[in-house]
Structures are given as structure tokens and as C-alpha cells.
Amino acid sequence: MKILNLIRHAEAENHFYGENDFSRELTLSGVSDIVFLDEYLIQYNFKNHKILCSAAKRAKETCYKLRNSLNPDSSVVVTNDLYLATFKNLLKNISYELQN
């Protein structure tokens, strides 16, 4: 059985006009939330993760802070295709990765 977990990035810095949205980092509160989520997910002992992650800085930070709940068999695919992706693009990326 395959399980699909959708995890949005943790709380990120506010975006101000003229700043690069793609490069926003996590807030201290966001980091704290991800540590809590990581500890929670450990109990499920998911095997063979295939993680699709946006190339946005806040998404990568979120993903890599879940390191304790991941296992050595996990693979991480970082892609620009998920940044500001439409629902249709999300489904397309998930379908493609399920076939590979």
C-alpha cells in the first residue's frame, strides 16, 4: 500500500514588496513546529519515502528538518516544478514519480 503525505512548508518570514519570495526562510516558530512534526512522524516508521520538495528555500528547510522521521531508504527530489504549482501540476508531478 502506498501512502501519500502532503506537508506544507512551516511558517516562513513575511514577504515584503521587492523581496524574493523564493528565498524566504523559516521563522523560529516554524522551525519549532517542524521539530514537533518530526517527532510525531517517527511513530509511524514510514518506509521508503519518496519526497517531492519545492526548490524554494522554506520548503527545503522544512524537508531537511524532518530528517529524524526519514530513513536511509528515503529519496528526496527537489524540483522547481512545485514552486507555486497549480493543482494540476502537483498531480502531474506525483503521477510521474509514482511511475518511476
Side-chain angles (χ1 to χ4, degrees), residues 58-75:
R58 61 191 175 273
K60 291 188 296 185
E61 284 182 310
T62 299
C63 179
Y64 293 117
K65 291 199 181 298
L66 292 173
R67 65 186 172 273
N68 292 320
S69 57
L70 304 179
N71 62 56
D73 297 324
S74 299
S75 65

Side-chain angles (χ1 to χ4, degrees), residues 10 25 30 52 63 74 76 94:
E25 297 181 3
L52 305 179
C63 179
S74 299
V76 178
I94 292 168

